[in-house]
Amino acid sequence: MRILKFGGSSVATAERVEKVLDIIKESQEESKLAVVVSAFGGVTNQLIKMTDLAGRGDRGYEKDYKSFSERHTEMIMALTSGERQKKLLKHIGKYTLRLGEILRGVYLVRYVAPKTYNQILSYGERLSARIISQALCEIGVDADFMDARYHIRTDSNYGNGVVDFNITNSNIKKYFESHPKTQIITGFIASNANKETTVLGRSGSDYTAAIIGAAVEADRIEIWTDVDGIMTANPHQVPGARPILNMTYEDAMEMSHFGAKVLFPPTIQPAMQLGIPIHIKNTFNPDSPGTIIDSSGSDKKYHITGISSLDAISLIRIQGSGMVGKTGLTGRIFQTIAKADVGVMLISLASSEHSICFAVDPASALVAKLALEEEFQLELQVKNIAKILIEDNLCIVAVVGENMRHIPGIAGKVFSTLGEHGVNVVAIAQGSSERNISIVVSKDDETQVIKSLHETFFDKI
Ligand code: ASP
Ligand code: MG
């Protein structure tokens, strides 16, 4: 079986959905399929906006709700006809009415509980999957709607559910044994043990495809999106960037953690465990080869696989002469940061131990600094720690690639390229996997750095 997943931009309009229907119909002739879909493009954002407005007691949510309902009705009108259309309109009408009631409830009490929020978010995928399954029936494909909430079990971490794979795998296997039709599955959504709706995180539909793919031990997971694959660099920054034809799971993980937005990072793990290839394809350019992620490795012609970046980070720097040789300090720093619920993207510790710095999301920088100042109050007082600083206006550029393991000279090339362009490097980290060299530079240098590294590694050979 093959799993096909179509993202929001692939199903943003009726014309685009028609393209998707063609792809499904064609693929179905080659292999048995299951199809995961996102909400229609922009719908999840709209649901978030409506909920926020309603929760603040702002009736402005009603306008968005109206356009939400109209948009789904228009989709049904464009993609179905006759009796099927009538039935679907009635059905979807009931759904949207219920959504309106929930939003009204939020508006009246001026409060949205996390579980209510997740329930509201689920409407995007529940509606799109239902409408697309009926649109497929309309063109003669035997399709069924599948609500993933009945099968994918998570904990109660609303907004970012953690999947219980034992229960989930067995649910999905059982379901597919007795449902032979092509399943059109809601991406993004799941439920907890109390049957309350949870979601898998923004962009989580990719993950749904991997969860289903792993449970049925699919031959391939196809992620259909709006670009030609994972690119050697961001094409907005490097016009000569090109799609990467083949890369390892590990490289895909590094690239997606460091800013390449094509794939939701947790997607890779379940596929990697079973060796299921992930194929990234372009809905609007289906003839282009796309990117294949598997265990076979990357194109040996280049020393690196790609360059990606996180374009806004803050660096927290802790320094002081009293830090040298103190055991347990690093542990305390990161425990404090974890307790403050701040994620860390890169760590760099000088071997002199005189300073340690790490990168965080700029929105969390102050929280991190305050938490550290509280934890190290005493050390600051007696000047064992001189200061805790935030450095802003920075970014991380990551050079990623399986092939650079054990090849000497890659780091040298990276830094001489930066030197030639007069770029000041603020911090460096190399993953011990040797698949990633990350450099922190000023945000103002970001495009220049990526462009010149791309030239060094892809254009000059
Ligand atoms: N609709 C959800 C979102 O926009 C999930 C997805 O599209 O992958 O985040
Ligand atoms: Mg996506």
Side-chain angles (χ1 to χ4, degrees), residues 37-304:
V37 296
S38 288
F40 297 138
V43 160
T44 306
N45 284 340
Q46 199 177 26
L47 287 166
I48 291 174
K49 185 179 163 210
M50 282 191 254
T51 315
D52 289 349
L53 286 173
R56 277 190 267 124
D58 184 335
R59 285 189 79 154
Y61 84 87
E62 287 172 351
K63 203 170 133 234
D64 281 282
Y65 170 70
K66 192 162 166 270
S67 85
F68 171 95
S69 307
E70 283 167 2
R71 180 159 175 208
H72 287 88
T73 304
E74 279 160 21
M75 282 289 206
I76 297 171
M77 299 305 285
L79 296 166
T80 57
S81 65
E83 212 32 52
R84 178 172 291 111
Q85 184 179 76
K86 250 206 221 125
K87 256 189 163 156
L88 189 59
L89 281 172
K90 212 165 134 195
H91 206 99
I92 297 296
K94 265 195 218 153
Y95 272 50
T96 41
L97 216 62
R98 170 51 71 92
L99 170 66
E101 283 170 0
I102 300 172
L103 284 167
R104 172 104 182 127
V106 170
Y107 166 76
L108 289 175
V109 297
R110 309 261 193 284
Y111 172 71
V112 55
K115 68 177 179 184
T116 312
Y117 206 153
N118 282 211
Q119 197 189 355
I120 293 172
L121 292 184
S122 75
Y123 277 89
E125 271 72 9
R126 283 159 64 196
L127 294 186
S128 69
R130 228 182 237 288
I131 294 171
I132 291 169
S133 70
Q134 287 301 311
L136 275 164
C137 295
E138 183 83 23
I139 60 163
V141 175
D142 230 359
D144 237 359
F145 164 76
M146 173 175 165
D147 188 335
R149 291 178 305 163
Y150 295 112
H151 311 283
I152 300 180
R153 169 72 66 82
T154 68
D155 62 4
S156 294
N157 193 342
Y158 297 102
N160 262 314
V162 178
V163 176
D164 179 332
F165 278 96
N166 281 335
I167 297 177
T168 302
N169 284 343
S170 115
N171 284 350
I172 293 172
K173 265 195 208 125
K174 232 185 275 158
Y175 181 85
F176 274 91
E177 273 162 18
S178 56
H179 290 79
K181 289 186 188 175
T182 300
Q183 300 299 312
I184 310 303
I185 308 163
T186 54
F188 185 48
I189 61 178
S191 67
N192 65 12
N194 297 331
K195 298 190 164 62
E196 290 157 349
T197 301
T198 56
V199 301
L200 302 171
R202 285 309 305 269
S203 304
S205 294
D206 293 353
Y207 192 31
T208 306
I211 294 167
I212 306 271
V216 302
E217 297 185 29
D219 305 315
R220 187 155 97 198
I221 296 164
E222 296 177 9
I223 305 289
W224 288 82
T225 178
D226 54 4
V227 289
D228 281 338
I230 300 181
M231 309 289 278
T232 50
N234 180 346
H236 297 299
Q237 289 166 320
V238 183
R242 42 188 175 269
I244 301 165
L245 292 177
N246 195 189
M247 67 200 298
T248 59
Y249 296 109
E250 288 85 355
D251 280 0
M253 237 182 248
E254 299 277 0
M255 289 287 286
S256 55
H257 275 293
F258 279 94
K261 294 220 172 54
V262 181
L263 198 61
F264 182 57
T267 309
I268 300 157
Q269 189 66 33
M272 182 166 80
Q273 251 166 11
L274 295 175
I276 303 170
I278 301 174
H279 201 157
I280 315 269
K281 293 278 289 175
N282 189 347
T283 305
F284 310 109
N285 188 14
D287 292 333
S288 88
T291 299
I292 296 176
I293 303 166
D294 60 15
S295 51
S296 75
S298 315
D299 189 343
K300 297 286 179 287
K301 190 168 141 212
Y302 305 108
H303 286 165
I304 70 167

Side-chain angles (χ1 to χ4, degrees), residues 250 303 401-408 410 432-435:
E250 288 85 355
H303 286 165
E402 182 78 19
N403 297 346
M404 59 192 204
R405 293 168 79 188
H406 317 302
I407 298 181
I410 306 288
S432 57
S433 66
E434 294 187 47
R435 283 192 189 95

Side-chain angles (χ1 to χ4, degrees), residues 292-406:
I292 296 176
I293 303 166
D294 60 15
S295 51
S296 75
S298 315
D299 189 343
K300 297 286 179 287
K301 190 168 141 212
Y302 305 108
H303 286 165
I304 70 167
T305 301
I307 303 162
S308 67
S309 68
L310 284 174
D311 61 7
I313 60 124
S314 291
L315 213 58
I316 311 269
R317 193 186 290 279
I318 305 173
Q319 56 193 47
S321 50
M323 287 166 59
V324 181
K326 285 264 183 337
T327 51
L329 200 74
T330 326
R332 272 173 70 200
I333 293 175
F334 292 107
Q335 239 161 30
T336 307
I337 294 304
K339 245 195 263 160
D341 205 19
V342 173
V344 175
M345 296 141 182
L346 167 152
I347 303 169
S348 170
L349 168 69
S351 61
S352 71
E353 297 182 25
H354 177 258
S355 94
I356 181 165
C357 71
F358 56 90
V360 299
D361 181 346
S364 311
L366 192 59
V367 176
K369 182 177 191 268
L370 293 175
L372 288 168
E373 280 174 350
E374 196 182 318
E375 170 71 22
F376 292 105
Q377 222 170 7
L378 209 67
E379 284 82 352
L380 283 162
Q381 236 168 44
V382 298
K383 304 245 175 327
N384 274 351
I385 292 179
K387 42 189 154 193
I388 299 173
L389 297 166
I390 300 177
E391 288 177 47
D392 276 325
N393 200 34
L394 298 171
C395 70
I396 301 178
V397 176
V399 175
V400 171
E402 182 78 19
N403 297 346
M404 59 192 204
R405 293 168 79 188
H406 317 302

